[in-house]
Amino acid sequence: MTAGDLPVTTGNPDQGFEGFRFVGWNLYDALINWDLSKSDTASDIKPGLATEWHIDPANHKRWIFTLRQGVKWHDGCDFSADDVIWNFQRISDPKAPQFFTQQFALSRAYLTNFDSIEKIDDHSVAITTKFVESLFPYDMSYVLMISRCRAQALNYDWTAYANQPSGTGPYRFAGMTAHERMELVPNNDYWDKARVPKQDRLVLLPTPEAATRTAALLSGQVNFIEAPAPDAIPVLKRANMQIVSNVYPHNWPYILNFTRGPFTDLRVRQAANYAINRDDVVDLVGGMATPQYAEVPPSLPYYGHPVIYKFDKAKARALLKEANCLPCKVTLAISTSGSGQMQSLPMNELVKQQLEDAGFEVTLNVMDWNALLDVSRSGVPKYPNVDGMNASRGLLDPVSAIIKPVATAYWSPAGSNWGHFGTPEADGLVKQIFEEFEPEKRLALLTRLHEYESEQALMIFVVHDLNPRALSPKVHGFVQAQNWFQDLTPITVDP
């Protein structure tokens, strides 16, 4: 893993979506899961611990979930509606005995519209939202369910739970050495028989340095690495390693502060976008990326016709002069590595050089990945002097991709609108989208919102990652989904 440490095992993981990919989705399920079985189409949600969900026709704020029957937790207890109620109280109700502040923080971005939950019977629950949201089921795919039975047996000692977690997922926890390795084994009783893991054991090693990951693969210490260094790919190919990549909904931008500082001026945001020579960035990562000119890649159905900010240094400098910000001093928070951060330090140094060539004066505030995640979750209320932050974004669904970054309902820290962007136009479009349950009409509104965000130069757009991985020739069966998450259960390894 590129993670700097082992992801937490107490429910929703830390270490970004890499924590979800390797620990969260392996130990646990959500009410709604992701279909990661195909490589040729964008992934979408599918039934998880809920087999079906629908809106209450009499109340469009009320969603009814039918729960899967016959599911057992890893500890042998039966899964029921009481577990779902207990899980939501654990991450939303400070008065509940099981409330866990860490999990509240890790889940909060997905609960912005969660109001209450009620038990209908042992196999169904109803979730009421704060406002009508036709896309609400996507949020529920990010809320992982843990065993009430195990947590109660341990008297809510979350340190003890972390060392013996219990979920319903395809893998069981087998042990870990703090900061070094975690071992998972197949859950042979998993409810989805097609996804019972085909390996004997999955060993996860946090390895933030790309060169160390490459050396581990070449030496046979590991069979699978995330994000090989671009200059190592020819060496890996000569050693007969498999280089796997795929287009997927992900971007590597700079998210901006809209409460104060230079980026409150549209001309400065436009200048920053014109200053980026994206082809040079693509070359830096060995071609394992594509230029990014808008929030989402053209492969998504709501791409539309956004503004294309082609590299134009003279235009960038002219806009800065017009905005009376030349040189234009900005401070950008960046990480040394992390989930989806690609080759973070060399890429940020190149972007810094390009911005300064166009008239910016850039200070890079460098920190580790978890520290940057705190900046991301806390938002500008806690970090008002940060003008922008480089945090790669999973664009798995339209709510995460283009609604949360602009709607005032999601202002940080309550949601993931980090920089507190907000306009009547954006909020109006979001309201129309959430109240539109007819898919084609909703798609047209989503497309218009995406185009509007490009007109506003919402972020400094840089590249879309192609998500490269390197695998030993002994590895078979891995299908790289067009998704930040991946399914490891089909993998087999030759002796």
Side-chain angles (χ1 to χ4, degrees):
M1 303 181 292
T2 68
D5 203 350
L6 293 172
V8 299
T9 56
T10 49
N12 275 29
D14 62 351
Q15 301 295 331
F17 272 178
E18 191 174 30
F20 267 90
R21 179 161 64 245
F22 287 112
V23 173
W25 285 117
N26 286 336
L27 290 176
Y28 301 112
D29 291 299
L31 292 178
I32 298 172
N33 287 352
W34 285 86
D35 184 352
L36 305 172
S37 62
K38 305 178 185 70
S39 62
D40 56 350
T41 57
S43 303
D44 207 349
I45 52 177
K46 68 173 186 176
L49 291 176
T51 58
E52 186 272 339
W53 52 91
H54 63 272
I55 196 73
D56 184 339
N59 179 2
H60 283 187
K61 293 181 182 178
R62 188 170 185 263
W63 289 84
I64 297 168
F65 292 81
T66 302
L67 303 180
R68 190 176 298 277
Q69 299 186 38
V71 175
K72 287 189 177 293
W73 298 97
H74 297 159
D75 51 42
C77 294
D78 293 323
F79 167 73
S80 72
D82 291 329
D83 296 310
V84 179
I85 304 292
W86 180 90
N87 267 278
F88 275 88
Q89 291 174 335
R90 185 178 82 108
I91 56 179
S92 67
D93 183 3
K95 296 179 182 177
Q98 70 269 31
F99 181 75
F100 186 19
T101 303
Q102 178 207 56
Q103 280 297 304
F104 164 72
L106 292 170
S107 308
R108 179 168 53 186
Y110 313 117
L111 298 177
T112 304
N113 196 17
F114 169 76
D115 184 54
S116 63
I117 185 168
E118 62 185 289
K119 178 180 176 179
I120 298 175
D121 56 41
D122 284 346
H123 304 295
S124 57
V125 299
I127 295 177
T128 301
T129 60
K130 296 174 183 175
F131 49 84
V132 175
E133 182 183 350
S134 62
L135 297 167
F136 180 72
Y138 283 104
D139 280 344
M140 293 299 92
S141 73
Y142 303 106
V143 180
L144 302 180
M145 301 286 114
I146 79 162
S147 170
R148 171 174 60 109
C149 198
R150 173 61 54 81
Q152 289 177 340
L154 295 171
N155 297 313
Y156 301 145
D157 181 338
W158 297 114
T159 300
Y161 180 92
N163 288 302
Q164 43 188 315
S166 174
T168 60
Y171 291 88
R172 297 172 182 265
F173 182 82
M176 67 177 170
T177 302
H179 314 299
E180 291 184 16
R181 64 193 284 133
M182 184 184 299
E183 300 193 18
L184 308 179
V185 294
N187 173 17
N188 291 318
D189 299 320
Y190 188 49
W191 55 265
D192 185 350
K193 298 306 178 187
R195 293 192 60 236
V196 173
K198 293 180 171 57
Q199 325 95 41
D200 295 324
R201 186 171 295 262
L202 173 63
V203 181
L204 304 173
L205 306 178
T207 314
E209 299 82 14
T212 307
R213 292 194 299 274
T214 299
L217 181 62
L218 289 170
S219 68
Q221 179 190 2
V222 301
N223 307 106
F224 183 121
I225 66 171
E226 300 277 283
D231 57 4
I233 288 177
V235 176
L236 290 166
K237 287 182 176 179
R238 286 196 294 272
N240 295 319
M241 300 299 171
Q242 306 172 64
I243 305 299
V244 183
S245 66
N246 199 356
V247 62
Y248 78 129
H250 164 269
N251 64 359
W252 193 90
Y254 293 82
I255 304 164
L256 306 177
N257 186 337
F258 288 91
T259 66
R260 53 150 297 280
F263 290 125
T264 58
D265 190 317
L266 173 61
R267 295 167 295 187
V268 175
R269 303 196 299 272
Q270 292 171 331
N273 274 289
Y274 283 120
I276 305 299
N277 187 333
R278 295 161 181 84
D279 291 337
D280 282 355
V281 182
V282 170
D283 288 343
L284 176 67
V285 297
M288 290 295 171
T290 58
Q292 178 196 4
Y293 295 107
E295 188 81 349
V296 304
S299 57
L300 293 188
Y302 47 91
Y303 182 75
H305 300 282
V307 177
I308 303 299
Y309 293 98
K310 286 284 189 181
F311 173 54
D312 190 332
K313 184 166 65 175
K315 191 168 188 176
R317 183 172 284 272
L319 283 164
L320 291 181
K321 186 174 182 180
E322 183 182 326
N324 196 28
C325 194
L326 187 66
C328 202
K329 297 182 179 181
V330 294
T331 297
L332 303 176
I334 72 167
S335 68
T336 52
S337 64
S339 172
Q341 290 299 89
M342 304 175 67
Q343 310 303 320
S344 184
L345 291 179
M347 291 171 71
N348 273 288
E349 287 292 345
L350 176 57
V351 170
K352 177 181 188 297
Q353 176 187 326
Q354 293 179 348
L355 289 171
E356 292 187 336
D357 285 348
F360 285 89
E361 187 176 308
V362 180
T363 298
L364 296 179
N365 186 356
V366 185
M367 59 194 74
D368 70 24
W369 180 227
N370 258 8
L372 188 69
L373 287 177
D374 182 67
V375 176
S376 176
R377 283 192 291 266
S378 303
V380 291
K382 185 175 177 181
Y383 296 95
N385 295 322
V386 174
D387 296 307
M389 58 171 291
N390 168 228
S392 57
R393 301 185 62 247
L395 314 172
L396 281 68
D397 64 85
V399 180
S400 299
I402 64 170
I403 290 176
K404 288 185 177 181
V406 296
T408 55
Y410 298 99
W411 275 10
S412 60
S416 53
N417 183 343
W418 179 81
H420 288 200
F421 179 91
T423 65
E425 292 85 352
D427 277 344
L429 276 168
V430 169
K431 186 174 187 295
Q432 291 181 69
I433 290 165
F434 280 166
E435 294 179 354
E436 182 55 72
F437 285 81
E438 202 285 304
E440 287 191 12
K441 292 180 180 178
R442 189 171 61 213
L443 179 60
L445 292 167
L446 285 166
T447 302
R448 176 61 200 128
L449 180 62
H450 183 245
E451 293 170 341
Y452 174 76
E453 291 176 8
S454 78
E455 293 161 9
Q456 291 295 311
L458 180 68
M459 301 177 183
I460 304 176
F461 307 122
V462 186
V463 292
H464 294 292
D465 189 5
L466 289 179
N467 207 13
R469 295 178 166 90
L471 284 62
S472 162
K474 296 180 179 181
V475 170
H476 308 284
F478 176 61
V479 176
Q480 181 149 311
Q482 292 185 25
N483 197 290
W484 196 296
F485 309 137
Q486 301 292 328
D487 186 2
L488 304 181
T489 64
I491 293 177
T492 61
V493 183
D494 293 338

